[in-house]
Amino acid sequence: MPHTPEPDEDGLDAIAPPQPVFHAEQALLGALLLDPHRLDDVSGIAADSFSTAAHAALYAAISTLPRPDPAEHAKNTKWLDGVLATALEQARGLTATYLHTLVQVCPWPRHAPAYARMVEAEHARRRLLTAAERLIHTVHDAGLPHPVRTVLAEADALAAVVDDIAARFHPRSGVLPRAPAPPPATPDHTEAVEEEQLLLATATARPDDIDAVRWLVPYDLTLPLHTGLWQCLTTLARRNEPVDPVTVLWEAQQRGLLDDGYEPGTVLRLLAEPAGSVGHWAARALQRSLLAAAEHTGRRIEAYAGDPANTPFQLVVGARRALADISAVRTRWQHATRAAPTQQRRPAPAIRAGPPTTTAAHAARSTRATR
């Protein structure tokens, strides 16, 4: 094995490290190549904890090969040659020169446990980032047959990663993660707006059904106007006051909802075309709210994990706070999806506050209600 480094031979040690952890990985591997018995002092990491395939292959070889006799190891390179031959099976670009470089760049072999802790911390951050990205991807997967069930399973997998990181790193009091703003999402609310309008109109026509969907809260709806109108409806129903488009409009005026430029006629028309059932549209709104909460949680955790200045326990604190948002909506979803006794509904009154819609348009809304 050569004893002088030749950086241009393979380029592995000439690559600019993208993260400081690259140096920690090199120092750890150098310590273990120089003093293989120090592997006994290293815990919490495995081959997949390393950021490059070459480093992962070297650590796997060091961990699996029988350790050499210290006296013999000081005299020859037999064990190092074996490490290289084994690692080459997984990383073909490795050379003896790079192993020699690793030994040279290790500051203190006795600091191997500290280097391993750095590697473990960076691996924890990458694991959390990957789990958060997977959650966001699942939210946007339009081909899922059961989107809520699948998204909640990914949220549970993310929570399991957080719990594992928490078990590996001792907690510190008073540490909160740096909180960069997550990248803005640009959802398409077209379908949501249409369905929420049907929810509001149907609830206005059938106020007796509002009590059965108490698990839906105003902020599950996407538009401020819809949020306010749902508050008006639930308030009137709770007071046992008359509910129709005019009474809801009056309540909206008392709450200042018309201050943003909404015309009374617009609100009346919005509330005058019921279709389907309150429960159906409410469940659709709650599902969207749950998926939106999951995406926002994923983006928050992605932002935390994307900041290398955050320590593992800071990531745990921030991720658990973010996951609490999903838990709150999840509880309401469980209430919403429980089997409910069949209710007798009074027929919806034929209320019109504007020009009559076409038969085709009304049929289209009824079709959406039964999807």
Side-chain angles (χ1 to χ4, degrees):
M1 176 176 181
H3 292 284
T4 56
E6 299 176 10
D8 296 333
E9 180 181 326
D10 50 62
L12 282 172
D13 51 351
I15 298 174
Q19 296 290 341
V21 71
F22 188 86
H23 295 291
E25 292 178 3
Q26 286 189 317
L28 173 61
L29 293 171
L32 297 179
L33 291 171
L34 187 60
D35 295 329
H37 70 277
R38 295 192 182 277
L39 190 62
D40 294 332
D41 303 327
V42 172
S43 62
I45 62 172
D48 63 358
S49 301
F50 290 80
S51 62
T52 72
H55 288 178
L58 281 171
Y59 185 80
I62 292 169
S63 302
T64 55
L65 288 179
R67 296 173 204 176
D69 176 77
E72 289 296 318
H73 184 55
K75 295 178 182 178
N76 59 63
T77 64
K78 181 178 179 180
W79 184 77
L80 295 176
D81 294 338
V83 168
L84 178 60
T86 303
L88 277 171
E89 298 175 5
Q90 302 297 325
R92 299 182 64 85
L94 280 168
T95 66
T97 299
Y98 189 62
L99 269 65
H100 184 73
T101 301
L102 292 175
V103 171
Q104 284 191 320
V105 300
C106 176
W108 294 100
R110 66 173 178 269
H111 292 169
Y115 305 146
R117 196 65 166 164
M118 298 172 194
V119 172
E120 184 182 10
E122 182 64 15
H123 183 229
R125 192 174 68 84
R126 291 199 305 271
R127 290 176 60 204
L128 191 61
L129 183 61
T130 299
E133 291 172 344
R134 191 160 46 240
L135 175 61
I136 297 169
H137 174 77
T138 304
V139 169
H140 290 281
D141 189 347
L144 296 174
H146 304 288
V148 172
R149 185 188 310 168
T150 309
V151 165
L152 290 178
E154 286 296 341
D156 289 340
L158 174 55
V161 171
V162 175
D163 289 342
D164 183 65
I165 295 172
R168 291 171 176 267
F169 293 87
H170 295 298
R172 297 177 183 176
S173 60
V175 286
L176 295 174
R178 297 203 308 184
T186 55
D188 182 3
H189 287 319
T190 304
E191 184 179 40
V193 169
E194 293 179 357
E195 293 186 356
E196 288 172 9
Q197 289 175 350
L198 290 170
L199 166 66
L200 294 167
T202 308
T204 301
R206 303 190 181 102
D208 290 346
D209 292 350
I210 294 176
D211 186 64
V213 295
R214 286 179 293 177
W215 31 261
L216 185 71
V217 300
Y219 298 103
D220 288 326
L221 307 186
T222 56
L223 297 184
L225 176 63
H226 294 176
T227 294
L229 289 175
W230 186 251
Q231 289 175 321
C232 294
L233 280 163
T234 55
T235 299
L236 291 172
R238 187 174 63 251
R239 295 175 184 164
N240 291 320
E241 295 184 8
V243 177
D244 62 40
V246 174
T247 62
V248 175
L249 175 65
W250 187 257
E251 182 71 19
Q253 176 180 270
Q254 302 303 303
R255 292 173 175 266
L257 294 182
L258 305 183
D259 295 345
D260 293 331
Y262 294 107
E263 295 292 336
T266 301
V267 175
L268 289 173
R269 285 189 293 272
L270 184 154
L271 297 173
E273 298 184 14
S277 70
V278 174
H280 171 78
W281 299 123
R284 291 281 296 170
L286 182 58
Q287 174 175 314
R288 273 191 299 273
S289 181
L290 188 151
L291 296 179
E295 179 179 14
H296 184 65
T297 292
R299 290 188 180 278
R300 282 177 62 188
I301 296 174
E302 181 184 47
Y304 294 149
D307 185 349
N310 285 322
T311 67
F313 195 71
Q314 283 178 303
L315 296 178
V316 169
V317 172
R320 282 179 169 169
R321 290 191 174 195
L323 286 165
D325 292 342
I326 298 181
S327 299
V329 188
R330 181 183 205 157
T331 299
R332 292 190 289 114
W333 175 259
Q334 291 170 341
H335 284 294
T337 52
R338 288 175 184 167
T342 303
Q343 298 181 355
Q344 294 286 358
R345 293 196 182 106
R346 67 185 183 185
I351 300 173
R352 297 281 178 186
T357 58
T358 63
T359 303
H362 189 74
R365 287 186 172 85
S366 299
T367 300
R368 286 199 301 270
T370 57
R371 285 187 302 185

